[in-house]
Amino acid sequence: MSARVDLIGIEAFRAALRNLPEDLRQEADTVVRAQADAMAREAAQAYPEGPTGNLRRGVTVRTEGSAYSVVAQVRSRAPHASIFERGTKVRRTDKGYNRGAMPQPDEAEKAIRARRRLQSELIDIVRRAGFEVSA
């Protein structure tokens, strides 16, 4: 006897994950937390060291978990992080001194790769549980 379940979209995938046995939920929780920590390390290393190290030290991971899910958020709490993340236009002081522009880094590609790694690991968990997944 075989069975097939088609999950169309991320919401259907999330609903199916909520119905997985406890051991699989724990494994998925571990994967999400590990990927968030890896992304935080990668983000911190992308920042310049600077004289104070505040940019690198400001990268944090916040996780919230329940019996059905885990959410991880990687962010920088340094007040000037947006300058490095979004870039700036040419800046001048009140006296007219040129401070130049900060180019915007291509960090979006890193986030996309991290999300793909996470999805791949979660799909592997579901496949090991006997589900067939086509992504």
Side-chain angles (χ1 to χ4, degrees):
M1 178 173 133
S2 67
R4 178 183 171 123
V5 176
D6 289 324
L7 303 173
I8 309 299
I10 193 69
E11 290 306 319
F13 182 63
R14 287 179 180 157
L17 286 176
R18 281 193 288 272
N19 294 323
L20 289 175
E22 180 61 27
D23 58 332
L24 296 178
R25 277 197 296 268
Q26 287 176 355
E27 189 175 352
D29 182 277
T30 301
V31 166
V32 169
R33 291 173 192 270
Q35 285 293 333
D37 290 340
M39 185 64 190
R41 283 191 302 277
E42 192 174 314
Q45 290 171 355
Y47 284 133
E49 182 69 40
T52 63
N54 287 340
L55 277 171
R56 289 184 177 189
R57 202 171 35 256
V59 176
T60 61
V61 177
R62 190 181 106 212
T63 57
E64 294 177 8
S66 71
Y68 303 107
S69 67
V70 63
V71 175
Q73 182 182 41
V74 178
R75 63 180 293 196
S76 177
R77 296 192 181 277
H80 56 304
S82 65
I83 291 173
F84 292 92
E85 293 169 4
R86 295 185 183 96
T88 64
K89 297 178 182 177
V90 173
R91 299 164 293 152
R92 297 191 181 277
T93 66
D94 290 340
K95 293 185 178 184
Y97 296 112
N98 183 8
R99 294 296 179 239
M102 172 68 72
Q104 182 177 12
D106 188 25
E107 295 299 313
E109 190 60 37
K110 287 182 183 178
I112 290 168
R113 284 194 306 269
R115 186 173 47 244
R116 285 184 184 148
R117 281 192 308 263
L118 174 62
Q119 288 172 342
S120 176
E121 288 190 45
L122 292 174
I123 287 170
D124 287 345
I125 292 170
V126 175
R127 282 185 176 144
R128 284 195 309 272
F131 290 91
E132 180 181 321
V133 178
S134 59

